[in-house]
Amino acid sequence: RGNEMTDVLKEFPLLIDPRTGHSLMERTILIANTSNMPVSAREASIYTGITMAEYYRDQGYHVAIMADSTSRWAEALRELSGRMEEMPAEEGFPAYLPTRIAQFYERAGFMQTLSGNSGSVSIIGAVSPPGGDFSEPVTQHTKRFVRCFWGLDRQLASSRHYPAISWLESYSEYLGDVKQWWNDHSDGSWYLSRQKIMDLLQKEVRLQQIVKLVGPDALPDTQNFILEVCSLFKTAFLQQNAFDEVDRFCSVEKQVKMLSVILAYYEKGLEAITKGVPMVKIRRLKAVQEMVRMRLTVKGDELETIDRLQLRLERSIDQIGGIYEN
């Protein structure tokens, strides 16, 4: 939309690139074809963007291209196809829609240039299905050709949970490719920790269905504690404030440490609950309140603060568990 592009042109020059300290616009190219422009321009804009990305890639740069949105581009394809009286396919889109989408995404990748340097193009394509219907053709064909999908959740956005990425609908098939890199930067704990927290989130979905039927009071503390840990994980880890000086950027090491603290809280807390400690006692610990705020209070170069927090948390839970055990 024209008014959105006006906001971008006003705000982007004021944003500072954390890598260079200069304006973000120095490394940004905008290709704008708004809805009031000719349909042929909207259809050609996505090819213009990817061609320019390849131009800089061939010079040895690493380029990120954001296409917002491929759904509008597909609508322009449908309109052009209708004017040329081509045979329509599903929902009026041309029969060659899957081919065009595949050709676009297949132009991404890492390569060696003729000069011996390395360059790459990373494509992030935004899909905006009408009414949030993920079964429509553009979304379905896009998911066929890409190996990573971030599904935005309207309910998360309405509850001010940003980024509003659904942890259940989103997926990545690059886990095997990035596993070694992440483990090298996390003492080999990242992959296992990720599996544990994903298992907890899956359990939470099943428990939430029970809660809707019979209420939370029907669940034992061991299961209510899973709901508590998952809620804390969403608040203390998945949420991120782009306007906060500390939280707008999070290093790999800090992410791994934060996840480690949350999992330690779950394991120690579950152990204490099985000894008879009420969940309310664990929830009220001062260290737990500090854990909720750690993404906002701990800077990226203060990782020892998170280590000390984990030690205090484990010691506090052990003390409560010892009292009830005796």
Side-chain angles (χ1 to χ4, degrees):
R1 300 182 183 91
N3 59 334
E4 292 175 352
M5 284 309 305
T6 303
D7 291 338
V8 168
L9 291 170
K10 286 182 177 180
E11 292 178 8
F12 264 48
L14 303 177
L15 298 176
I16 302 300
D17 185 350
R19 286 181 177 270
T20 64
H22 300 290
S23 171
L24 189 66
M25 281 300 294
E26 292 186 7
R27 296 198 302 135
T28 304
I29 296 174
L30 296 172
I31 299 171
N33 284 296
T34 53
S35 300
N36 60 338
M37 297 182 70
V39 63
S40 56
R42 283 189 281 134
E43 193 266 342
S45 60
I46 203 167
Y47 304 117
T48 306
I50 194 67
T51 302
M52 293 180 71
E54 290 173 335
Y55 170 76
Y56 286 102
R57 177 206 64 191
D58 293 342
Q59 297 182 44
Y61 290 101
H62 299 286
V63 187
I65 174 171
M66 276 66 78
D68 182 17
S69 75
T70 54
S71 296
R72 303 290 171 266
W73 165 68
E75 289 172 4
L77 273 180
R78 178 169 60 186
E79 192 171 338
L80 281 175
S81 176
R83 292 182 182 184
M84 292 187 290
E85 299 182 0
E86 295 174 339
M87 183 69 70
E90 189 178 4
E91 292 192 19
F93 289 105
Y96 48 78
L97 174 68
T99 305
R100 294 290 178 86
I101 293 176
Q103 288 173 345
F104 171 63
Y105 284 106
E106 286 171 1
R107 292 172 74 171
F110 183 89
M111 63 165 290
Q112 294 290 127
T113 65
L114 295 176
S115 61
N117 297 321
S118 60
S120 67
V121 173
S122 300
I123 297 177
I124 302 174
V127 184
S128 46
D133 179 18
F134 283 10
S135 64
E136 57 90 35
V138 181
T139 307
Q140 287 299 310
H141 292 310
T142 299
K143 292 174 74 173
R144 282 175 56 200
F145 302 123
V146 300
R147 296 178 59 197
C148 179
F149 180 76
W150 294 343
L152 300 183
D153 192 312
R154 192 186 303 274
Q155 291 183 345
L156 289 176
S158 300
S159 60
R160 304 297 182 191
H161 183 292
Y162 296 112
I165 298 174
S166 170
W167 43 86
L168 296 176
E169 292 181 349
S170 307
Y171 63 86
S172 173
E173 297 177 7
Y174 291 102
L175 287 179
D177 301 321
V178 302
K179 175 182 176 182
Q180 189 59 48
W181 185 92
W182 274 89
N183 283 337
D184 290 343
H185 290 74
S186 62
D187 301 326
S189 63
W190 172 80
Y191 189 76
L192 185 59
S193 297
R194 183 191 178 278
Q195 281 186 318
K196 288 180 179 178
I197 201 66
M198 287 301 296
D199 288 342
L200 285 178
L201 291 172
Q202 294 289 347
K203 290 178 182 177
E204 185 212 19
V205 174
R206 293 193 291 269
L207 292 174
Q208 288 286 8
Q209 293 174 348
I210 299 174
V211 168
K212 289 178 181 178
L213 292 174
V214 295
D217 296 334
L219 297 178
D221 271 1
T222 52
Q223 293 182 340
N224 269 320
F225 190 60
I226 293 176
L227 299 177
E228 169 73 15
V229 171
C230 289
S231 176
L232 185 144
F233 173 70
K234 298 167 192 175
T235 305
F237 190 91
L238 292 181
Q239 269 189 303
Q240 190 171 8
N241 186 352
F243 298 98
D244 186 87
E245 285 291 333
V246 176
D247 196 32
R248 68 181 178 185
F249 174 77
C250 186
S251 64
V252 171
E253 293 78 13
K254 182 179 175 182
Q255 291 181 54
V256 174
K257 294 280 187 184
M258 289 166 60
L259 185 55
S260 175
V261 173
I262 295 170
L263 289 174
Y265 171 58
Y266 169 70
E267 291 167 0
K268 284 289 183 180
L270 191 62
E271 182 181 331
I273 289 172
T274 55
K275 294 178 181 178
V277 180
M279 189 182 72
V280 178
K281 292 278 187 182
I282 301 174
R283 186 193 298 171
R284 290 177 179 173
L285 289 173
K286 184 179 178 182
V288 175
Q289 306 306 317
E290 294 179 17
M291 181 172 55
V292 174
R293 298 190 301 269
M294 62 183 172
R295 66 183 177 90
L296 300 168
T297 57
V298 181
K299 296 181 180 179
D301 56 352
E302 299 175 351
L303 300 180
E304 60 277 359
T305 305
I306 301 180
D307 292 332
R308 291 195 296 268
L309 172 61
Q310 183 170 342
L311 287 174
R312 287 202 309 276
L313 180 68
E314 293 176 350
R315 193 178 300 120
S316 301
I317 296 177
D318 286 339
Q319 287 175 354
I320 299 177
I323 294 172
Y324 276 80
E325 192 174 23
N326 294 330

